[in-house]
Amino acid sequence: MKFLIIVKATKDSEAGVMPSEKLMAEMIGFHEEMAKAGILVDGAGLRPSRDAWRIRYAKNGQRSMVDGPFAETKELVAGYTIIDVKSREEAIRWTKRYPNPSIDGGEAEIEVRPFFELEDFGDSPAAKRGAEIGLQK
């Protein structure tokens, strides 16, 4: 089962404040533990939303692009980690140990969400096509 660990943005991460060497070492060390355990799929920090854009879809099929920055910091993502574990319980055990991602050691939040697996969509032609092109390896 794959899980996405979403590191929520803070005022500091949105301002582009880089993590301290101590925080980087703690994060890299924890990710190294996950890699050694064979559960780490990927992980990275994301640049502030001032470097981002959004595509909005209208009911009439029109699309529009909106450049960042975006105002609601609590709704933004500062980084992510993807793990592949045997169960929800195992994911919970790992994420309870996830280092505090706050730059100043203050309040922070991570959100953990399970991925859909292609099998969740049944025996549909689209799911089969997804498997053929290598989705969800």
Side-chain angles (χ1 to χ4, degrees):
M1 301 178 71
K2 286 185 186 165
F3 290 84
L4 175 65
I5 303 166
I6 301 165
V7 177
K8 298 293 189 107
T10 64
K11 189 174 85 173
D12 285 337
S13 68
E14 273 299 288
V17 176
M18 297 302 283
S20 67
E21 181 61 30
K22 180 179 184 264
L23 177 56
M24 281 294 296
E26 190 176 358
M27 283 291 191
I28 296 297
F30 187 69
H31 282 71
E32 185 176 36
E33 272 187 67
M34 292 187 292
K36 286 179 181 175
I39 67 164
L40 181 64
V41 175
D42 192 17
L46 301 174
R47 293 185 178 271
S49 70
R50 68 175 176 249
D51 298 333
W53 62 90
R54 292 178 177 168
I55 304 296
R56 291 204 173 128
Y57 301 86
K59 287 183 180 180
N60 64 4
Q62 296 265 341
R63 296 174 189 195
S64 61
M65 186 178 116
V66 179
D67 278 314
F70 305 115
E72 290 297 319
T73 302
K74 66 182 181 184
E75 296 178 8
L76 299 175
V77 177
Y80 70 93
T81 302
I82 300 172
I83 58 175
D84 192 355
V85 294
K86 291 181 176 55
S87 67
R88 180 179 191 271
E89 292 71 26
E90 184 180 1
I92 290 170
R93 284 193 303 274
W94 279 101
T95 56
K96 281 185 172 181
R97 297 181 45 228
Y98 201 90
N100 179 349
S102 174
I103 290 168
D104 64 0
E107 290 186 11
E109 182 175 68
I110 64 172
E111 177 180 331
V112 183
R113 305 217 11 216
F115 279 72
F116 275 113
E117 301 290 338
L118 283 175
E119 300 81 48
D120 295 328
F121 298 99
D123 198 24
S124 77
K128 285 179 183 175
R129 230 173 59 231
E132 288 170 4
I133 65 168
L135 291 178
Q136 298 187 4
K137 290 182 180 180

